[in-house]
Amino acid sequence: MQGDPFRTRDHVADFDAIVADIVSRSAATRAELPMLEDVSYGRGPSETLDLFFPQQRDGPVAVHMFVHGGYWRMFSRSDFSCVAQTVTRAGAIAAIIGYALMPAVRMSTIVDQVRCAKTWLQEHISEYGGDPSRVTVSGHSAGGHLGTFLFHADDPRPVNGALLLGGLYDLKPLQDSFLKPEIGITNDEALAFTPLNHRHHAHTDVTLLVGADETPPFHQQAADFAALLDGQGVRVVNSALRDRNHMSAVRDLGIPGTEAARQLAAMIGRC
């Protein structure tokens, strides 16, 4: 396989068409589902989330937060509103998370923001009909990386479940990728924010997914992270999505009935 294995555009021929479809589905989702937009979970202008609600709710319902990808430097929460289609059909409130982007901020800020969003949900979602004891997370690519910081071993309130799709669990190889001139991951950041360097909470049920057609590093990193979690006593399943690449896999999260969406709904249901 030629080219930088992390530069998704080089390996997904219809990259722009898939992104356009995701954005279009997300706009339709915002028009269709009951929602609250721009809810602040912190003090900064980027520290906001959108809440989407099931059409029918009987008592407090589960809560699921989605963290978008884009190599920490592109996309926004509104681009991925469509994931709420799967989440709300599973009977849960969907919280689509926004965060600041590199290089305007560094990795530590983004990690802190995602952790803050989880804490806000656990402390305030009951005001919106959610059950703070039933919080799960999913994330794609960089969002999969960020999702790992919500179930560290020392977290007093880790998420109950995590579905991480096409995630990045070793930052070292990215230092010499196409991202070097764009965000310049430092040695300290690679060390501090590589999930393979951390211990994780056995309370959390983890599903790792990767598109079968993704480049080799995504498969290897998922396998390495699954082995680490298993060795730490975490319940983890690692599997590939047939005939899916890095972008078609995440589009599927917002299309109920696809394999990715079924796995997401199942994780929400059991956690």
Side-chain angles (χ1 to χ4, degrees):
M1 187 172 294
Q2 300 298 313
D4 186 336
F6 294 105
R7 184 175 164 83
T8 306
R9 185 181 293 276
D10 292 347
H11 305 282
V12 178
D14 50 353
F15 179 94
D16 290 320
I18 294 175
V19 170
D21 189 28
I22 293 171
V23 171
S24 176
R25 290 175 181 274
S26 292
T29 296
R30 292 193 297 277
E32 174 187 342
L33 292 181
M35 70 171 295
L36 286 176
E37 194 171 11
D38 289 328
V39 178
S40 294
Y41 66 79
R43 297 181 179 180
S46 60
E47 295 174 353
T48 57
L49 54 83
D50 296 335
L51 295 174
F52 294 84
F53 302 94
Q55 297 287 357
Q56 296 183 339
R57 285 179 281 167
D58 295 318
V61 298
V63 183
H64 181 77
M65 54 189 294
F66 175 77
V67 188
H68 72 81
Y71 283 120
W72 308 278
R73 96 283 187 229
M74 65 182 291
F75 295 133
S76 70
R77 70 183 193 279
S78 62
D79 292 329
F80 290 91
S81 303
C82 59
V83 176
Q85 292 284 357
T86 298
V87 175
T88 56
R89 290 194 190 192
I93 294 172
I96 312 297
I97 308 300
Y99 56 86
L101 301 177
M102 296 176 77
V105 301
R106 298 312 304 173
M107 189 80 71
S108 60
T109 296
I110 301 175
V111 170
D112 285 346
Q113 287 178 326
V114 174
R115 284 172 163 166
C116 181
K118 178 193 69 110
T119 298
W120 185 92
L121 287 169
Q122 290 171 329
E123 294 179 350
H124 296 280
I125 200 61
S126 61
E127 302 166 20
Y128 301 88
D131 183 346
S133 70
R134 298 175 62 199
V135 177
T136 56
V137 67
S138 64
H140 172 244
S141 196
H145 163 267
L146 294 169
T148 70
F149 292 90
L150 304 185
F151 57 97
H152 274 189
D154 60 355
D155 191 332
R157 298 182 72 183
V159 293
N160 291 359
L163 183 145
L164 309 178
L165 172 60
L168 297 154
Y169 311 112
D170 183 0
L171 301 189
K172 189 67 176 175
L174 295 172
Q175 291 186 279
D176 293 321
S177 73
F178 80 101
L179 292 168
K180 185 173 184 178
E182 295 191 26
I183 62 174
I185 296 172
T186 67
N187 289 333
D188 287 345
E189 286 173 327
L191 179 64
F193 299 111
T194 283
L196 289 171
N197 295 338
H198 295 281
R199 293 199 59 82
H200 300 83
H201 210 298
H203 169 80
T204 304
D205 182 305
V206 180
T207 299
L208 302 181
L209 297 178
V210 61
D213 296 340
E214 295 202 48
T215 55
F218 287 95
H219 291 271
Q220 186 61 56
Q221 291 204 14
D224 291 345
F225 192 49
L228 176 79
L229 293 176
D230 183 66
Q232 294 176 352
V234 178
R235 299 180 302 279
V236 59
V237 174
N238 178 31
S239 61
L241 298 171
R242 183 179 178 183
D243 297 327
R244 291 297 182 265
N245 59 47
H246 196 67
M247 298 309 298
S248 58
V250 68
R251 175 173 58 185
D252 281 0
L253 280 185
I255 305 177
T258 63
E259 179 59 25
R262 286 196 295 270
Q263 294 219 33
L264 176 57
M267 187 271 291
I268 293 171
R270 69 176 176 265
C271 296

